[in-house]
Amino acid sequence: MAVITETTLRAMLRTGIPNPFLVRAKDIFTPAATDFLKGRGIRVESVESQGAFSQVREAGGARTIPIGVSNRHIHLSPEDVEKLFGHGYELTPLRPLSQPGQFVAEEQLTLLGPKGILKGVRILGPARGTSQVEISRTDGFLLGIHPPIRASGSLEGTPGITLIGPAGCIVLESGVIVAKCHVHMSDEDARSLQVKDGDSLILQMIGERALIFPDVTVRVSPRYALDFHIDLDEANAASLKTGDAVRLLGKNGRFFSAEGR
């Protein structure tokens, strides 16, 4: 059973609240949550054992995707690594990430914004073509910047920030984003799930909070491992942590049916 509050629903506004809003029979809405959905014309549908959740299983077995919660982090170009840490410096791997060949570096930086600072922000390696900073909405309030929700690498028109390292500092004119939630998967995973690069998935958390992520971008590459990436704000709203799983309910704005995909 889940208690669905207005706060829960407002946390979903950033990615969109699905219509209909699917719940289990035992889920409870607060009066404010009920009024919130009615005021937006969103209908509520109860999902029992013969409903959409079981239909996904009937359409080809249970389809779940593991979760990786991403804290604030920085990607650096080789040139910026040297400016911040010294000539010829290379990042030092601390531990591997879920994606093959990528790692959390031992090195950390300080972010300086118009209204505040964040110390000890990890760098992810290896170095890449363009420097980029990924933070949450909450981090943005602390720093005094308001980055848009973007896919990685889509940096046009984004705010900048100052990066402070042990050997110097740099001012990025742009490059700060709130990363759009997305799923990495291999070609084999994509064939198994019958999706393709650029598709949008409908995912539902498995647990007490019946929250749905209605617009999750698919990224397919032979280099990728299956992983659903969300930031800390999204994870906290849905009571999720790294290692949890979400259920695949549909794609490209449509829920799967018992008849097929």
Side-chain angles (χ1 to χ4, degrees), residues 146-214:
H146 305 287
I149 299 172
R150 292 281 184 85
S152 179
S154 178
L155 306 180
E156 183 179 355
T158 58
I161 200 164
T162 299
L163 306 180
I164 303 173
C169 65
I170 59 174
V171 178
L172 298 180
E173 297 300 327
S174 63
V176 185
I177 65 170
V178 174
K180 187 180 187 300
C181 58
H182 56 277
V183 173
H184 291 283
M185 64 179 68
S186 67
D187 297 309
E188 183 178 351
D189 292 326
R191 286 191 295 270
S192 175
L193 296 172
Q194 299 179 37
V195 301
K196 63 182 184 300
D197 189 70
D199 276 349
S200 173
L201 302 185
I202 303 172
L203 302 178
Q204 187 232 359
M205 68 157 291
I206 299 170
E208 292 185 352
R209 284 192 169 182
L211 298 187
I212 291 175
F213 296 86

Side-chain angles (χ1 to χ4, degrees), residues 7-9 11 27 35 50-51 53 65 72 78 81 84 93 104 108 118 129 134 142 148-149 164 189 206 213 234 257:
T7 301
T8 300
L9 296 172
D27 289 344
D35 292 342
Q50 299 302 315
F53 297 124
I65 297 173
R72 66 184 78 100
V81 170
L84 292 162
V104 177
Q108 304 175 54
L118 282 172
E134 298 181 27
L142 189 154
I149 299 172
I164 303 173
D189 292 326
I206 299 170
F213 296 86
E234 292 165 321
S257 68

Side-chain angles (χ1 to χ4, degrees), residues 47-123:
V47 181
E48 298 294 341
S49 59
Q50 299 302 315
F53 297 124
S54 62
Q55 289 169 359
V56 173
R57 292 192 289 271
E58 294 166 6
R63 297 177 176 89
T64 61
I65 297 173
I67 294 169
V69 179
S70 181
N71 199 354
R72 66 184 78 100
H73 60 270
I74 303 164
H75 299 281
L76 292 177
S77 68
E79 296 79 10
D80 287 343
V81 170
E82 292 195 344
K83 291 176 183 176
L84 292 162
F85 294 96
H87 180 70
Y89 195 92
E90 294 185 0
L91 297 174
T92 308
L94 176 64
R95 62 178 182 273
L97 291 168
S98 61
Q99 298 308 306
Q102 299 186 25
F103 58 86
V104 177
E106 290 185 0
E107 292 78 10
Q108 304 175 54
L109 297 175
T110 295
L111 303 181
L112 174 62
K115 292 185 178 180
I117 64 172
L118 282 172
K119 297 181 179 181
V121 181
R122 287 287 182 187
I123 301 170

